[in-house]
Amino acid sequence: MKTLIRNGHVVTAVDSYTADILVEGSTVVLIGKDLEKIAGALDKTINATGKLVIPGGIDPHTHMDLPFGGTSSSDDFETGTRAAAFGGTTTIIDFAVQYRGQSLNQALDVWFSKAQGKAAIDYGFHMILTDLPNHRLPEIKNLVQQGVSSFKLFMAYPGMFLVDDGTIFQAMTAAAESGGLICMHAENGVVIDVLVKRALAEGKTAPKYHALTRPTRAEAEGVHRAIAIAEMANSPVYIVHLSCYDALKEVQAARDLGLPAYAETCPQYLFLDYSYYEQEGFEAAKYVMTPPLRDKSNQEQLWKGLRGNDLQVISTDHCPFCFKEQKELGRNDFSKIPNGGPGVEHRMSLIYDGGVVQGRINLNRFVELTSTAAAKIFGLFPKKGTIAVGSDADIVIFDPSKEQTISAKTHHMRVDYSAYEGRRVRGTVETVLSRGNIVVEHGEFKGKRGDGQFLRRGTA
Ligand code: URP
Ligand code: ZN
Ligand code: ZN
């Protein structure tokens, strides 16, 4: 298959120019002017005049088919990756989970069987570590060698995912020795657990108490501790789903000292806020996610962090649960509402609109935050995360002026609500190529279940 993308405005993390792009098979083979004259026979020509041509989005934080709170996230690898493609994301890094007593390879096999034959775009895995006796420490290096080069540890969810500081230190040491990276869910889960029990004992069962029992100080303390332990272990650390200024200040302080601390935030923390929990009835359950939505005053600080590179990545933490029957599990007890929300489909348009259109970031930074930085941090660059000769042809043709209204009526995620219902955004994905194959064209899915490949990631 030979495809010519003609006369688009190509934007990478560092460049911005008008050119043609020739794609042969799965890779970009030529970039230049008037390539039609020298391209030879073509299978397809895409006229990208007036459009942005950007690297496919990389979402390094998704949870497809994740068992949580007595149910499972409602998107599996088929529906979730298809929705991602509609939104211009061509790579996800999802979280496999090691449950107690399992080896890391046993855990990985379970997630391979969830994804293989289903994913429509390329995918990698991080491994969530929950059980790390000394004899399992060498398995970390083993996993890095198999292309699973990052791991998530939890300071929250006691009894489920939480690991103690000694385990965190050991895991960080082992990961650093093999070039791996620890991703940290940084919240003081032990204190939060007490606050949750107190609230329930006082009859405070409504969804808003999810937020009121998870103060920003609990997140900031987790971030501080994660960075301090990483420093002692001589290890880099990547803070996931950072939600508030209190936590950001900890990352800023560490980076000012030159420590290898990295962090991502997510659209929900940039566009939604605590007031969503004050809605009537049980509606607020739609926004029960961890960390919770914060006071609006945090949002401009997060944008500032994104501009100044104290935050390097925007992921989604896509972890959808239907309002009916799934969120409803916690109708009488907020602590039983499955944590998480949908987001994988609209990250690129939301960030383009809220970031570029609103003048908070420029186009290069938009590409960097949604694609390039994740590729670099998680060992995928330059195969992914840029448009260059030799890179995978994961390319999005993006209409910068076309507006859309986000709604559950039109989205492709398998979930019965949208966290952004009715929100009007400027910037719409028009055509998406995944390794040279067209997967989305003018609002229609042209990809194939199972075409997504597992990505053996390197080390950064
Ligand atoms: O609420 C969330 N974030 N659910 C997914 C699990 C996690 O902590 O990332
Ligand atoms: Zn988390
Ligand atoms: Zn998550």
Side-chain angles (χ1 to χ4, degrees):
M1 178 91 178
K2 211 168 172 185
T3 303
L4 185 67
I5 303 170
R6 275 201 51 243
N7 201 36
H9 192 75
V10 182
V11 183
T12 69
V14 288
D15 301 305
S16 185
Y17 55 91
T18 298
D20 298 346
I21 297 171
L22 184 63
V23 174
E24 209 170 329
S26 61
T27 47
V28 173
V29 293
L30 210 53
I31 302 174
K33 293 274 187 198
D34 298 325
L35 294 186
E36 214 159 22
K37 292 178 187 152
I38 54 166
L42 293 166
D43 297 295
K44 181 147 183 109
T45 301
I46 300 170
N47 180 4
T49 306
K51 309 286 157 54
L52 300 178
V53 179
I54 56 177
I58 299 176
D59 188 343
H61 192 151
T62 66
H63 300 280
M64 307 301 175
D65 203 356
L66 173 75
F68 193 104
T71 184
S72 285
S73 57
S74 57
D75 266 321
D76 62 13
F77 278 83
E78 182 178 354
T79 61
T81 56
R82 199 172 54 208
F86 271 109
T89 288
T90 52
T91 297
I92 59 165
I93 310 179
D94 203 86
F95 289 84
V97 184
Q98 176 220 17
Y99 294 105
R100 295 202 170 275
Q102 273 185 324
S103 72
L104 301 192
N105 266 108
Q106 281 169 335
L108 189 58
D109 284 346
V110 174
W111 256 260
F112 273 138
S113 65
K114 286 174 189 263
Q116 274 167 352
K118 282 189 157 186
I121 55 167
D122 292 351
Y123 58 95
F125 289 121
H126 315 275
M127 178 60 68
I128 291 176
L129 303 171
T130 64
D131 188 14
L132 213 55
N134 283 345
H135 72 271
R136 289 222 182 280
L137 287 171
E139 293 182 24
I140 288 181
K141 181 175 181 189
N142 196 264
L143 234 64
V144 172
Q145 287 167 347
Q146 293 173 64
V148 178
S149 50
S150 47
F151 304 85
K152 185 176 179 187
L153 297 172
F154 283 80
M155 292 172 152
Y157 304 126
M160 184 165 54
F161 289 141
L162 181 143
V163 288
D164 63 27
D165 292 353
T167 303
I168 292 170
F169 179 68
Q170 298 248 65
M172 283 179 167
T173 308
E177 278 168 7
S178 48
L181 178 63
I182 296 293
C183 304
M184 186 63 74
H185 179 127
E187 272 189 315
N188 190 320
V190 176
V191 171
I192 287 168
D193 210 34
V194 174
L195 294 174
V196 169
K197 285 187 177 124
R198 268 194 209 160
L200 291 174
E202 290 165 13
K204 295 170 175 167
T205 59
K208 71 174 179 185
Y209 292 104
H210 172 76
L212 295 173
T213 54
R214 302 187 99 89
T216 58
R217 297 308 300 158
E219 186 178 344
E221 189 280 329
V223 171
H224 183 91
R225 184 159 35 104
I227 293 171
I229 298 173
E231 190 180 358
M232 289 185 274
N234 238 327
S235 160
V237 64
Y238 178 94
I239 308 295
V240 294
H241 49 46
L242 188 141
S243 72
C244 60
Y245 187 37
D246 262 359
L248 175 59
K249 280 187 279 191
E250 298 292 342
V251 177
Q252 279 165 344
R255 290 179 63 83
D256 286 350
L257 291 172
L259 295 172
Y262 307 94
E264 63 176 26
T265 190
C266 313
Q268 54 269 34
Y269 304 119
L270 296 167
F271 300 113
L272 309 177
D273 63 74
Y274 175 80
S275 66
Y276 284 72
Y277 296 119
E278 297 287 2
Q279 295 179 52
E280 284 296 297
F282 193 59
E283 280 296 291
K286 293 177 178 173
Y287 305 95
V288 167
M289 57 189 67
T290 303
L293 302 179
R294 304 299 194 180
D295 184 84
K296 204 170 176 52
S297 59
N298 289 279
Q299 292 175 355
E300 283 310 317
Q301 295 296 342
L302 295 179
W303 281 110
K304 219 162 144 184
L306 290 165
R307 271 196 301 279
N309 204 37
D310 285 319
L311 296 169
Q312 294 77 37
V313 171
I314 302 176
S315 69
T316 60
D317 195 7
H318 176 77
C319 190
F321 296 98
C322 288
F323 185 68
K324 281 206 170 63
E325 292 179 14
Q326 293 195 296
K327 291 289 185 183
E328 279 177 345
L329 291 168
R331 207 169 252 289
N332 302 314
D333 176 348
F334 71 86
S335 72
K336 295 199 166 62
I337 301 170
N339 286 197
V344 77
E345 188 167 346
H346 296 113
R347 180 182 65 128
M348 304 290 277
S349 288
L350 280 166
I351 300 304
Y352 180 80
D353 183 66
V356 180
V357 176
Q358 299 297 318
R360 291 177 170 120
I361 52 173
N362 67 21
L363 271 176
N364 301 112
R365 187 67 180 148
F366 164 67
V367 169
E368 194 167 26
L369 289 166
T370 55
S371 181
T372 317
K376 288 183 176 172
I377 290 170
F378 292 108
L380 290 168
F381 191 83
K383 180 179 165 69
K384 307 287 190 190
T386 194
I387 296 177
V389 171
S391 292
D392 278 0
D394 290 2
I395 296 174
V396 174
I397 291 121
F398 189 86
D399 187 335
S401 47
K402 187 170 175 190
E403 296 192 2
Q404 57 172 312
T405 303
I406 299 175
S407 172
K409 291 190 195 90
T410 48
H411 74 200
H412 302 86
M413 300 176 285
R414 191 164 63 186
V415 61
D416 60 2
Y417 74 95
S418 169
Y420 303 95
E421 187 65 42
R423 192 183 186 96
R424 192 120 184 106
V425 289
R426 194 186 311 166
T428 301
V429 168
E430 186 178 280
T431 304
V432 181
L433 283 79
S434 164
R435 267 182 293 99
N437 296 319
I438 292 188
V439 289
V440 171
E441 193 169 32
H442 299 294
E444 260 187 70
F445 184 64
K446 297 276 173 79
K448 246 188 25 233
R449 169 188 208 265
D451 269 4
Q453 291 181 358
F454 170 66
L455 296 166
R456 286 176 71 103
R457 292 180 293 118
T459 54

